[in-house]
Each structure stands twice: as structure tokens, then as C-alpha cells.
Amino acid sequence: MMTLEQFNEGLTRFLSRSPTPFHACATMAETLQANGFVELQEKDDWQLQAGKAYYVIRNGGSLVAFRVGQTPVADSGWHLVGAHTDSPCLRVKPEPVLHRQGYFQLGVEVYGGALLNPWFDRDLGLAGRVSYRDEAGQLQSCLLDTQRPVGVIPSLAIHLDREANSNRTVNAQTDLPVLMACTDKKPDFKTLLARLLKEGGVDDVATVLDYELSFYDCQPPEWVGLEREFLASARLDNLLSCYVGMMSIISAAPDQHTVLVCNDHEEVGSQSSSGAQGPMLESVLRRVAGDEVSWQRAIAHSTLVSVDNAHGVHPNFSQRHDANHGPLLNKGAVIKINVNQRYATNSDTSALFRHLCEQVGEPVQSFVVRSDMACGSTIGPITSSAIGVATLDVGVPTFAMHSIRELAGHRDAASLCKVLTAFFNR
């Protein structure tokens, strides 16, 4: 059995190797393959076997992994866990090059609801997907990760902005261009990308055609606190949940019908071919079910646990929480509830999760947003309304959600994994 330290070491490796959704899916695919999962292509005819495990990737950034159980799925349904692979970040624009005052900068767009102030004065790497024409004239696609800082967004000195500590706002257009180099000439960004790809071992690039690239914080995950009780890292929302879901389905019994779905584009609304509002999950499940009646019966038997981080009560800002619903770090997973259906939890699905927590001896907490504040949402309500599956929303409590560096407890991810493994095996 994996120890807490081994689980957390695996989590930090996964976070470090997954600077973008494309890298997250590639890393998950590698781990799933090492544990007996077979990759399927959506364009192919599938020949599924009971007791076998499979996975599908769409658009490089979304993944569905599943095990085929020993009994007809129409009689038992699926046990599903859902998460998302994307995080708020700074995306490079299509024509990004700025040449001002002898400096080379890249213009960026803000992806999702990022907390922008923490992006200043960080060592920024560049990662994502690049499409190119190779030397034989063929279209190719590959992943890029500089694995080293190539940019920075310097703050304006306090001497030039005396109100910075009392009244600072960030203009995404003018304040966030990333400083890349000193140069007398305006560089060609696609030529630079070809050079960076070659540094990474891709040496057949004739012409870079397009890209989806993001900046990320090069500081690695770290365990902090007097007793190393906190995990500080980028992209905890929501790669932590992807890792927990992946390790849970790997640990699941091979005779159960289990599913892990990790969608891209949650932070921007989920409305894409590979997002939770798209058809990917339903398409995969329908192919597994085989026919319409079996599909309808299977969904009626199924339950989805949507896993996305929860807001831990911040000791400096406890007034931002409902006094009776302030989840604490290192005190277990959180059931998220909202009467306006921003979360998909109901009393039946919540009771199931509490029952599982009791069975495996893990703590559980609950979160309800203050009645005078707006509530965020997850893939839970989207997926539940799209395919009609009973759903609940849970997650580990965190601080600094949507910052460039977030904070979680060192016990909570492993605790949630234990509960989700029991859910898969029930």
C-alpha cells in the first residue's frame, strides 16, 4: 500500500510535469499505460473486453479513462469521477511580439479568472502545443516546455507608484506583456519557437505554423510549514483533482465499471468539443453501453463525483465565509453545496459520500458560500444536466485559488483518494 509520502511525491512530480492541459494529459496517459490502460482512437472501431482498461484523449487536453466491468453496464451503471485539466494562466497572443525601449516582450491574454498580481516578478517558463511543417512537408504537432525561465513581468518600483500598496489595479493589456530579452531588432517569434523546439529535441521543424502556449511559474512545488504540512504549487486547481482521480481509478477493482473524465476549458466555461459542455464523455459512454436502452439504463444506475478544489477558510479573512461552513486544510475533503445548482450535490449524493468517508475512516467537511456572495461552479452541474447522471461536488480545501501559486494541506489529497477508491469499488 502506498504511504502518504509516496502519494505526495507522485503528486508533486505530476504537477511539475504538467504545465499545460496538453502536458497533463500526456503525463496521465503515460501513467495509465504503465498500469495496463490501452489507448483508443475515437475514429477507430472499438473492441472492448470485460476486465480491461482503456483511455481516450481529445484535442490533446481532455481525457476519459475507463474500466469495463464483468457485468452488463446496463445492470450496474458507471462510477464516475470528473475533474478538469486547465488552470487560469497567461496565454501568448497570435501576433505577440512587442519591441519597445530596446526590449523584446510578448503580449498575452488572460485565460480564465486569474488572480493577476501574483504573476509579477516570477520566473516564467513557456509551454504548450506547437503545430509545424516538417522538413518533408508534412504537418506535425508536438509539445513544448522550456523547463527554464524565459520571461518575467517586472513590477513598477514603489518610487514610481506610491499608491501601489493601497490602490493597485492590473490592466491586462498594458501591464502584463512578458519581458523576454534585450535586443536591437524586433525578433520573429516563430523562428524563436523553432529554436526552442530544437533545444527540446525536436529537430525536424521547417516552419512553425501555429501554437497554443502559456506562461507558467518555474518554481517547483514545495512542502512548506514548520511540519511541512502545506503544499505550495501552481495549478493545484485542478491538477490535484486529476491526480487523485487517476490514482483512484488505477487502484479500482478490475471487475467494476469505472470512469475518470478530465475535461479542458472549465475555467472559460466548458463550451468546447472537449469541454464538459461538449459531447466527449457522452460519446465515449454511449459506445461502451452499446445501444440506446443500455445507455439509458446505465445512466440511471450511475453516480458522478465532480472533484474540484474548495475554498478553505482563510485565517486572515474568515469573515468571507459562512460561520458554520469554513473548511480547514488537513481536515478532509469538502462536500460543496449550493441551492441554486452552482454545485450539483443533493442530499442523496451527499449522504453517499459521507457514508463512504465513514467506511474508510476519513474526515469530511462541507462548504456553502455566504448568502450575500456569488458562488463559483464546476463541471458537476454541466455534466449532470448534459447526461442526466446523479452528481455531487467535492474537493480538497485550498488557499489562494486561481493565484499563480496555491496552497493545500499535505493530508487531504491522499485522504480523498482513499474515499474515491472506495467509491469506485463499492
XYZ file of all heavy atoms in Angstrom, residues 63-155:
717
model
N -9.257 14.044 -21.348
C -9.039 12.590 -21.272
C -10.210 11.911 -20.593
O -10.735 12.416 -19.597
C -7.741 12.318 -20.506
C -7.318 10.867 -20.271
C -5.780 10.763 -20.311
C -7.816 10.351 -18.918
N -10.611 10.760 -21.144
C -11.569 9.873 -20.486
C -10.914 8.501 -20.353
O -10.519 7.900 -21.357
C -12.887 9.734 -21.270
C -13.825 8.743 -20.563
C -13.572 11.082 -21.419
N -10.768 8.023 -19.119
C -10.254 6.685 -18.856
C -11.370 5.845 -18.255
O -12.193 6.362 -17.492
C -9.064 6.745 -17.902
N -11.412 4.563 -18.613
C -12.498 3.724 -18.085
C -12.085 2.263 -18.025
O -11.225 1.804 -18.774
C -13.770 3.887 -18.923
C -13.638 3.469 -20.369
C -13.986 2.191 -20.794
C -13.179 4.378 -21.320
C -13.875 1.814 -22.126
C -13.067 4.020 -22.665
C -13.412 2.734 -23.071
N -12.699 1.571 -17.091
C -12.586 0.119 -16.994
C -13.919 -0.502 -17.400
O -14.983 0.022 -17.054
C -12.264 -0.319 -15.566
C -10.871 0.053 -15.080
C -10.624 -0.544 -13.705
N -9.342 -0.168 -13.145
C -8.196 -0.805 -13.378
N -8.203 -1.876 -14.179
N -7.075 -0.404 -12.818
N -13.871 -1.599 -18.116
C -15.065 -2.341 -18.499
C -15.274 -3.445 -17.472
O -14.419 -4.325 -17.308
C -14.935 -2.935 -19.912
C -16.204 -3.702 -20.278
C -14.659 -1.834 -20.930
N -16.388 -3.398 -16.766
C -16.665 -4.376 -15.721
C -17.065 -5.738 -16.256
O -17.201 -5.947 -17.465
N -17.281 -6.662 -15.340
C -17.616 -8.036 -15.714
C -19.112 -8.242 -15.932
O -19.512 -9.198 -16.600
C -17.123 -8.995 -14.620
C -15.623 -8.991 -14.415
C -14.856 -9.648 -15.550
O -15.443 -10.268 -16.435
N -13.534 -9.519 -15.548
N -19.939 -7.341 -15.399
C -21.388 -7.463 -15.557
C -21.869 -6.465 -16.604
O -21.177 -5.493 -16.895
C -22.091 -7.184 -14.224
O -21.756 -5.854 -13.801
C -21.645 -8.183 -13.157
N -23.055 -6.665 -17.190
C -23.569 -5.678 -18.147
C -23.697 -4.304 -17.493
O -24.233 -4.174 -16.395
C -24.941 -6.244 -18.528
C -24.833 -7.724 -18.275
C -23.944 -7.843 -17.074
N -23.197 -3.282 -18.164
C -23.214 -1.947 -17.575
C -24.636 -1.447 -17.377
O -24.904 -0.631 -16.483
C -22.396 -0.967 -18.443
C -23.089 -0.671 -19.764
C -22.103 0.318 -17.675
N -25.575 -1.945 -18.162
C -26.972 -1.547 -18.002
C -27.529 -1.979 -16.648
O -28.476 -1.374 -16.141
C -27.819 -2.134 -19.124
N -26.932 -3.008 -16.043
C -27.421 -3.510 -14.759
C -26.753 -2.848 -13.554
O -27.272 -2.918 -12.439
C -27.191 -5.023 -14.672
C -28.024 -5.795 -15.677
O -29.078 -5.283 -16.097
O -27.599 -6.905 -16.063
N -25.596 -2.222 -13.774
C -24.850 -1.667 -12.643
C -24.535 -0.191 -12.790
O -24.321 0.495 -11.791
C -23.541 -2.438 -12.459
O -22.749 -2.370 -13.640
N -24.480 0.314 -14.037
C -24.105 1.704 -14.261
C -22.618 1.933 -14.083
O -21.834 1.002 -13.866
N -22.235 3.212 -14.183
C -20.835 3.599 -14.024
C -20.633 4.345 -12.709
O -21.495 5.091 -12.261
C -20.406 4.529 -15.157
C -20.338 3.914 -16.508
C -19.358 3.087 -16.999
C -21.273 4.084 -17.575
N -19.627 2.735 -18.300
C -20.798 3.338 -18.685
C -22.468 4.795 -17.718
C -21.469 3.287 -19.891
C -23.151 4.735 -18.917
C -22.656 3.990 -19.988
N -19.469 4.159 -12.121
C -18.993 5.033 -11.054
C -18.018 5.994 -11.716
O -16.952 5.587 -12.196
C -18.295 4.235 -9.951
C -19.185 3.225 -9.304
N -18.701 2.119 -8.629
C -20.540 3.146 -9.220
C -19.722 1.412 -8.150
N -20.843 2.020 -8.505
N -18.372 7.276 -11.752
C -17.588 8.264 -12.471
C -16.969 9.290 -11.526
O -17.601 9.707 -10.552
C -18.453 9.019 -13.488
C -19.200 8.225 -14.556
C -20.676 8.068 -14.166
C -19.114 8.927 -15.905
N -15.751 9.702 -11.840
C -15.090 10.821 -11.185
C -14.694 11.814 -12.268
O -14.148 11.431 -13.309
C -13.848 10.362 -10.395
C -13.008 11.562 -9.955
C -14.270 9.546 -9.179
N -14.988 13.097 -12.040
C -14.682 14.128 -13.018
C -13.819 15.234 -12.432
O -13.947 15.580 -11.246
N -12.935 15.791 -13.259
C -12.099 16.923 -12.867
C -11.820 17.737 -14.125
O -12.379 17.469 -15.185
C -10.803 16.441 -12.214
N -10.943 18.736 -14.032
C -10.573 19.479 -15.235
C -9.081 19.731 -15.267
O -8.421 19.851 -14.225
C -11.361 20.793 -15.370
C -11.122 21.820 -14.313
N -10.098 22.748 -14.399
C -11.772 22.096 -13.158
C -10.145 23.549 -13.342
N -11.145 23.176 -12.569
N -8.533 19.818 -16.481
C -7.093 19.872 -16.679
C -6.546 21.294 -16.783
O -5.334 21.485 -16.720
C -6.696 19.126 -17.959
O -7.390 19.711 -19.078
C -7.049 17.644 -17.865
N -7.400 22.285 -16.981
C -6.924 23.648 -17.226
C -6.893 24.468 -15.943
O -7.599 24.172 -14.967
C -7.779 24.342 -18.289
C -9.248 24.457 -17.891
O -9.783 23.528 -17.249
O -9.877 25.480 -18.220
N -6.067 25.501 -15.966
C -5.926 26.437 -14.849
C -5.808 27.852 -15.409
O -5.328 28.040 -16.536
C -4.672 26.118 -14.026
O -4.691 24.794 -13.539
N -6.211 28.865 -14.649
C -6.021 30.247 -15.110
C -4.542 30.524 -15.379
O -3.669 30.079 -14.624
C -6.541 31.082 -13.943
C -7.516 30.190 -13.249
C -6.938 28.811 -13.360
N -4.269 31.247 -16.449
C -2.879 31.489 -16.822
C -2.817 32.646 -17.817
O -3.833 33.281 -18.114
C -2.253 30.231 -17.434
S -3.063 29.683 -18.956
N -1.634 32.882 -18.345
C -1.412 33.898 -19.371
C -1.058 33.194 -20.672
O -0.034 32.495 -20.747
C -0.297 34.860 -18.955
C -0.492 35.608 -17.640
C 0.667 36.567 -17.404
C -1.821 36.357 -17.619
N -1.906 33.359 -21.695
C -1.714 32.731 -22.998
C -1.070 33.714 -23.972
O -1.448 34.883 -24.029
C -3.061 32.265 -23.570
C -3.664 31.054 -22.859
C -3.053 29.772 -23.363
N -3.604 28.614 -22.673
C -4.650 27.903 -23.119
N -5.273 28.272 -24.223
N -5.065 26.861 -22.448
N -0.135 33.230 -24.759
C 0.544 34.058 -25.754
C -0.417 34.376 -26.893
O -1.121 33.494 -27.399
C 1.793 33.335 -26.297
C 2.492 34.194 -27.356
C 2.750 33.001 -25.155
N -0.442 35.638 -27.320
C -1.330 36.068 -28.403
C -0.831 35.551 -29.757
O 0.343 35.198 -29.900
C -1.415 37.595 -28.422
C -2.176 38.194 -27.244
C -2.264 39.714 -27.359
C -3.123 40.296 -26.237
N -3.242 41.765 -26.336
N -1.706 35.540 -30.773
C -1.279 35.070 -32.103
C -0.158 35.899 -32.720
O 0.743 35.364 -33.360
C -2.564 35.168 -32.937
C -3.667 35.080 -31.944
C -3.163 35.763 -30.708
N -0.214 37.200 -32.561
C 0.854 38.098 -33.026
C 1.377 38.843 -31.801
O 1.015 39.982 -31.529
C 0.329 39.071 -34.086
C -0.215 38.411 -35.327
C 0.862 37.728 -36.155
O 2.062 38.085 -35.992
O 0.526 36.831 -36.946
N 2.250 38.219 -31.033
C 2.537 38.715 -29.690
C 3.709 39.673 -29.567
O 3.875 40.301 -28.523
C 2.862 37.425 -28.937
C 3.545 36.580 -29.966
C 2.864 36.908 -31.290
N 4.546 39.790 -30.594
C 5.836 40.452 -30.418
C 5.691 41.958 -30.221
O 5.035 42.649 -31.017
C 6.760 40.158 -31.616
C 8.059 40.962 -31.497
C 7.063 38.663 -31.684
N 6.309 42.457 -29.163
C 6.419 43.884 -28.884
C 7.901 44.228 -28.785
O 8.684 43.489 -28.150
C 5.718 44.243 -27.574
C 4.219 43.918 -27.481
C 3.730 44.115 -26.055
C 3.415 44.767 -28.444
N 8.302 45.348 -29.429
C 9.693 45.779 -29.361
C 9.703 47.245 -28.950
O 9.407 48.141 -29.745
C 10.380 45.591 -30.721
C 11.839 45.874 -30.680
N 12.428 46.879 -31.406
C 12.844 45.289 -29.963
C 13.730 46.901 -31.163
N 14.008 45.946 -30.293
N 10.012 47.462 -27.652
C 9.915 48.796 -27.090
C 11.118 49.080 -26.203
O 11.509 48.223 -25.397
C 8.617 48.949 -26.282
C 7.359 48.669 -27.086
C 6.091 48.830 -26.264
N 5.978 47.883 -25.167
C 4.871 47.710 -24.437
N 3.785 48.437 -24.709
N 4.840 46.847 -23.444
N 11.680 50.269 -26.332
C 12.801 50.711 -25.498
C 13.975 49.729 -25.517
O 14.720 49.613 -24.539
C 12.315 50.923 -24.050
C 11.084 51.784 -23.897
C 11.299 53.200 -24.445
O 12.377 53.778 -24.289
N 10.274 53.745 -25.088
N 14.139 49.026 -26.622
C 15.236 48.065 -26.723
C 14.964 46.738 -26.049
O 15.889 45.934 -25.856
N 13.686 46.455 -25.718
C 13.323 45.200 -25.069
C 12.358 44.411 -25.948
O 11.482 44.974 -26.614
C 12.665 45.454 -23.711
C 13.565 46.145 -22.719
C 13.355 47.471 -22.380
C 14.614 45.457 -22.126
C 14.174 48.109 -21.473
C 15.445 46.086 -21.219
C 15.218 47.416 -20.895
O 16.043 48.047 -20.000
N 12.504 43.105 -25.914
C 11.599 42.168 -26.591
C 10.601 41.651 -25.564
O 10.979 41.098 -24.531
C 12.418 41.037 -27.209
C 11.633 39.818 -27.607
C 10.369 39.915 -28.191
C 12.176 38.553 -27.428
C 9.662 38.784 -28.557
C 11.484 37.414 -27.797
C 10.216 37.533 -28.364
N 9.300 41.866 -25.868
C 8.232 41.389 -24.977
C 7.206 40.596 -25.783
O 7.112 40.728 -27.009
C 7.518 42.569 -24.310
C 8.378 43.393 -23.369
C 7.637 44.629 -22.889
O 7.508 45.614 -23.624
N 7.118 44.565 -21.662
N 6.431 39.793 -25.067
C 5.327 39.054 -25.677
C 4.012 39.497 -25.052
O 3.876 39.519 -23.823
C 5.498 37.543 -25.495
C 6.614 36.875 -26.291
C 6.650 35.381 -26.005
C 6.458 37.119 -27.787
N 3.039 39.838 -25.898
C 1.702 40.152 -25.415
C 0.948 38.890 -25.064
O 1.111 37.841 -25.706
N 0.121 38.987 -24.042
C -0.606 37.812 -23.552
C -2.082 38.142 -23.353
O -2.461 39.300 -23.180
C -0.012 37.297 -22.217
C 1.382 36.751 -22.425
C -0.022 38.394 -21.154
N -2.902 37.096 -23.381
C -4.301 37.167 -22.977
C -4.470 36.441 -21.651
O -3.765 35.452 -21.391
C -5.201 36.505 -24.024
C -5.337 37.242 -25.324
C -6.349 36.555 -26.227
O -5.982 35.554 -26.882
O -7.519 36.998 -26.262
N -5.375 36.906 -20.838
C -5.656 36.241 -19.569
C -6.651 35.115 -19.821
O -7.762 35.338 -20.293
C -6.217 37.218 -18.530
C -6.523 36.487 -17.226
C -5.234 38.353 -18.285
N -6.230 33.888 -19.502
C -7.095 32.717 -19.641
C -7.762 32.440 -18.297
O -7.094 32.172 -17.293
C -6.267 31.506 -20.079
C -7.060 30.224 -20.202
C -7.651 29.853 -21.407
C -7.232 29.378 -19.108
C -8.369 28.681 -21.522
C -7.950 28.212 -19.207
C -8.527 27.859 -20.421
O -9.252 26.691 -20.524
N -9.097 32.524 -18.275
C -9.835 32.238 -17.050
C -9.774 33.382 -16.051
O -9.294 34.480 -16.341
N -10.254 33.120 -14.857
C -10.338 34.144 -13.820
C -9.095 34.191 -12.958
O -9.124 33.888 -11.761
N -7.976 34.571 -13.562
C -6.699 34.549 -12.858
C -6.595 35.677 -11.835
O -7.062 36.791 -12.065
C -5.553 34.662 -13.859
N -5.963 35.390 -10.713
C -5.551 36.405 -9.750
C -4.237 36.968 -10.278
O -3.205 36.295 -10.271
C -5.366 35.752 -8.375
C -5.240 36.640 -7.154
C -6.502 37.465 -6.935
C -4.962 35.791 -5.917
N -4.245 38.212 -10.768
C -3.154 38.704 -11.610
C -1.942 39.237 -10.846
O -0.804 39.096 -11.307
C -3.670 39.791 -12.554
C -4.681 39.313 -13.603
C -5.173 40.488 -14.432
C -4.065 38.247 -14.497
N -2.137 39.874 -9.697
C -0.998 40.480 -9.006
C 0.146 39.501 -8.712
O 1.319 39.879 -8.817
C -1.466 41.154 -7.709
C -2.033 42.542 -7.964
O -1.381 43.380 -8.559
N -3.268 42.770 -7.526
N -0.131 38.256 -8.355
C 0.985 37.339 -8.071
C 1.826 36.959 -9.292
O 2.882 36.326 -9.123
C 0.277 36.105 -7.492
C -1.011 36.615 -6.954
C -1.419 37.684 -7.921
N 1.414 37.329 -10.505
C 2.203 36.992 -11.682
C 3.420 37.901 -11.846
O 4.339 37.585 -12.614
C 1.328 37.079 -12.940
C 0.494 35.848 -13.126
C -0.706 35.572 -12.537
C 0.805 34.717 -13.942
N -1.174 34.339 -12.937
C -0.250 33.793 -13.803
C 1.873 34.394 -14.784
C -0.270 32.572 -14.462
C 1.860 33.179 -15.441
C 0.800 32.282 -15.274
N 3.462 39.003 -11.152
C 4.599 39.903 -11.271
C 5.820 39.339 -10.540
O 5.702 38.713 -9.486
C 4.250 41.284 -10.715
C 3.279 42.047 -11.570
C 1.904 41.836 -11.449
C 3.719 42.967 -12.510
C 0.998 42.529 -12.233
C 2.826 43.663 -13.302
C 1.455 43.447 -13.171
N 6.994 39.548 -11.149
C 8.282 39.212 -10.529
C 8.447 37.716 -10.288
O 9.096 37.288 -9.330
C 8.469 39.985 -9.207
C 8.249 41.477 -9.380
O 8.754 42.030 -10.376
O 7.542 42.072 -8.537
N 7.853 36.917 -11.153
C 8.013 35.466 -11.102
C 8.883 35.010 -12.266
O 8.899 35.628 -13.335
C 6.654 34.759 -11.194
C 5.605 35.239 -10.225
C 5.939 34.943 -8.793
N 6.084 33.528 -8.522
C 6.166 33.012 -7.291
N 6.122 33.818 -6.241
N 6.297 31.725 -7.110
N 9.577 33.899 -12.077
C 10.382 33.297 -13.138
C 9.452 32.458 -14.012
O 8.961 31.412 -13.572
C 11.473 32.414 -12.548
C 12.403 33.183 -11.618
O 12.504 34.409 -11.785
O 13.002 32.547 -10.735
N 9.225 32.902 -15.232
C 8.191 32.304 -16.075
C 8.781 31.430 -17.170
O 9.625 31.868 -17.954
C 7.332 33.407 -16.704
C 6.611 34.344 -15.735
C 5.826 35.394 -16.510
C 5.700 33.565 -14.787
N 8.318 30.178 -17.224
C 8.605 29.294 -18.337
C 7.511 29.390 -19.376
O 6.473 30.029 -19.164
N 7.719 28.749 -20.518
C 6.773 28.773 -21.628
C 6.495 27.340 -22.054
O 7.426 26.548 -22.265
C 7.358 29.570 -22.796
C 6.454 29.830 -24.005
C 5.274 30.715 -23.610
C 7.252 30.481 -25.138
N 5.204 26.994 -22.177
C 4.845 25.615 -22.510
C 3.535 25.585 -23.280
O 2.732 26.513 -23.212
C 4.735 24.768 -21.241
N 3.325 24.489 -23.989
C 2.079 24.291 -24.722
C 2.279 23.414 -25.939
O 3.200 22.587 -25.999
N 1.419 23.598 -26.919
C 1.434 22.793 -28.141
C 1.823 23.665 -29.328
O 1.342 24.796 -29.467
C 0.068 22.165 -28.370
C -0.027 21.285 -29.620
C -1.330 20.517 -29.643
N -2.493 21.382 -29.777
C -3.762 20.948 -29.765
N -3.996 19.657 -29.583
N -4.758 21.791 -29.884
N 2.672 23.128 -30.194
C 3.125 23.833 -31.389
C 2.823 22.965 -32.614
O 3.140 21.769 -32.624
C 4.630 24.142 -31.330
C 5.074 24.864 -32.599
C 4.967 24.977 -30.093
N 2.207 23.560 -33.615
C 1.961 22.877 -34.886
C 2.944 23.411 -35.924
O 3.154 24.630 -36.021
C 0.520 23.122 -35.351
O -0.407 22.617 -34.408
N 3.537 22.506 -36.706
C 4.568 22.917 -37.637
C 4.584 22.027 -38.877
O 3.981 20.949 -38.894
C 5.940 22.899 -36.958
C 6.422 21.526 -36.535
C 7.255 20.764 -37.373
C 6.075 20.983 -35.299
C 7.714 19.512 -36.987
C 6.527 19.738 -34.907
C 7.352 19.000 -35.749
O 7.797 17.762 -35.370
N 5.272 22.495 -39.901
C 5.538 21.694 -41.101
C 6.972 21.180 -40.999
O 7.905 21.958 -40.774
C 5.352 22.534 -42.362
C 5.506 21.757 -43.659
C 5.023 22.545 -44.874
N 5.555 23.898 -44.913
C 4.799 24.989 -44.817
N 3.488 24.897 -44.676
N 5.352 26.192 -44.877
N 7.130 19.869 -41.151
C 8.474 19.310 -41.016
C 9.248 19.427 -42.326
O 8.748 19.947 -43.337
C 8.419 17.862 -40.516
C 7.767 16.898 -41.503
O 7.650 17.226 -42.707
O 7.374 15.798 -41.076
N 10.467 18.954 -42.334
C 11.338 19.112 -43.487
C 10.879 18.293 -44.686
O 11.319 18.543 -45.811
C 12.764 18.745 -43.096
C 13.358 19.727 -42.079
C 14.710 19.308 -41.561
O 15.097 18.141 -41.827
O 15.380 20.125 -40.893
N 9.975 17.324 -44.433
C 9.407 16.545 -45.539
C 8.102 17.140 -46.052
O 7.452 16.571 -46.925
C 9.173 15.099 -45.093
N 7.698 18.284 -45.488
C 6.485 18.959 -45.931
C 5.217 18.463 -45.274
O 4.118 18.826 -45.703
N 5.337 17.666 -44.202
C 4.177 17.113 -43.515
C 3.813 17.946 -42.287
O 4.696 18.506 -41.624
C 4.449 15.659 -43.095
C 4.787 14.735 -44.246
C 3.654 14.619 -45.243
O 2.506 14.379 -44.868
N 3.959 14.800 -46.519
N 2.506 18.017 -41.992
C 2.061 18.711 -40.783
C 2.329 17.850 -39.553
O 2.014 16.657 -39.531
C 0.567 19.029 -40.879
C 0.141 20.034 -41.953
C -1.369 20.213 -41.919
C 0.839 21.374 -41.740
N 2.875 18.470 -38.539
C 3.190 17.783 -37.296
C 2.746 18.637 -36.116
O 2.503 19.844 -36.258
C 4.697 17.507 -37.188
C 5.301 16.727 -38.327
C 4.888 15.268 -38.323
O 4.301 14.774 -37.350
N 5.192 14.568 -39.405
N 2.666 18.009 -34.951
C 2.318 18.709 -33.722
C 3.147 18.130 -32.593
O 3.379 16.910 -32.538
C 0.823 18.563 -33.414
O 0.484 19.244 -32.225
N 3.627 18.979 -31.703
C 4.434 18.498 -30.585
C 4.226 19.405 -29.381
O 3.646 20.482 -29.496
C 5.911 18.435 -30.961
S 6.645 20.056 -31.250
N 4.705 18.946 -28.243
C 4.624 19.720 -27.016
C 5.943 20.437 -26.759
O 7.023 19.895 -27.012
C 4.286 18.825 -25.819
C 2.951 18.087 -25.877
C 2.710 17.350 -24.570
C 1.807 19.028 -26.191
N 5.817 21.651 -26.255
C 6.975 22.455 -25.891
C 6.915 22.755 -24.402
O 5.863 23.119 -23.875
C 6.984 23.772 -26.679
C 7.982 24.843 -26.221
C 9.410 24.405 -26.496
C 7.688 26.191 -26.884
N 8.047 22.609 -23.738
C 8.198 23.049 -22.355
C 9.638 23.502 -22.191
O 10.569 22.697 -22.259
C 7.884 21.916 -21.377
C 8.012 22.343 -19.924
O 8.296 23.538 -19.674
O 7.838 21.492 -19.034
N 9.844 24.794 -22.003
C 11.208 25.301 -21.887
C 11.928 24.759 -20.664
O 13.164 24.685 -20.648
C 11.224 26.834 -21.839
O 10.520 27.278 -20.672
C 10.592 27.412 -23.092
N 11.160 24.396 -19.625
C 11.710 23.856 -18.380
C 12.736 24.794 -17.740
O 13.546 24.367 -16.919
C 12.317 22.468 -18.608
C 11.298 21.443 -19.045
C 11.870 20.055 -19.165
O 13.069 19.861 -19.306
N 11.006 19.045 -19.120
N 12.728 26.027 -18.132
C 13.588 27.044 -17.544
C 12.904 28.391 -17.710
O 12.066 28.566 -18.598
C 14.957 27.068 -18.211
C 14.940 27.469 -19.684
C 16.332 27.460 -20.290
N 16.326 27.795 -21.716
C 16.413 29.031 -22.186
N 16.505 30.065 -21.345
N 16.426 29.259 -23.488
N 13.231 29.354 -16.872
C 12.619 30.676 -17.018
C 13.092 31.361 -18.300
O 14.286 31.450 -18.555
C 13.109 31.434 -15.776
C 13.599 30.389 -14.837
C 14.091 29.270 -15.679
N 12.138 31.821 -19.088
C 12.464 32.570 -20.311
C 11.830 33.957 -20.305
O 12.030 34.728 -21.244
C 12.026 31.803 -21.577
C 12.818 30.518 -21.724
C 10.518 31.531 -21.559
N 11.060 34.279 -19.272
C 10.404 35.574 -19.222
C 10.097 36.002 -17.804
O 10.196 35.215 -16.850
N 9.712 37.282 -17.660
C 9.358 37.836 -16.363
C 8.488 39.069 -16.606
O 8.610 39.728 -17.651
C 10.620 38.201 -15.546
C 11.413 39.300 -16.240
C 10.275 38.599 -14.119
N 7.592 39.363 -15.668
C 6.801 40.593 -15.710
C 7.254 41.447 -14.525
O 6.791 41.236 -13.393
C 5.287 40.309 -15.611
C 4.857 39.266 -16.637
C 4.482 41.599 -15.804
C 3.431 38.781 -16.471
N 8.173 42.384 -14.738
C 8.689 43.162 -13.601
C 7.630 44.128 -13.061
O 6.886 44.750 -13.822
C 9.865 43.937 -14.200
C 10.111 43.341 -15.557
C 8.804 42.773 -16.003
N 7.590 44.251 -11.760
C 6.734 45.262 -11.140
C 7.304 46.659 -11.383
O 8.516 46.823 -11.611
C 6.622 45.038 -9.633
O 5.916 43.873 -9.334
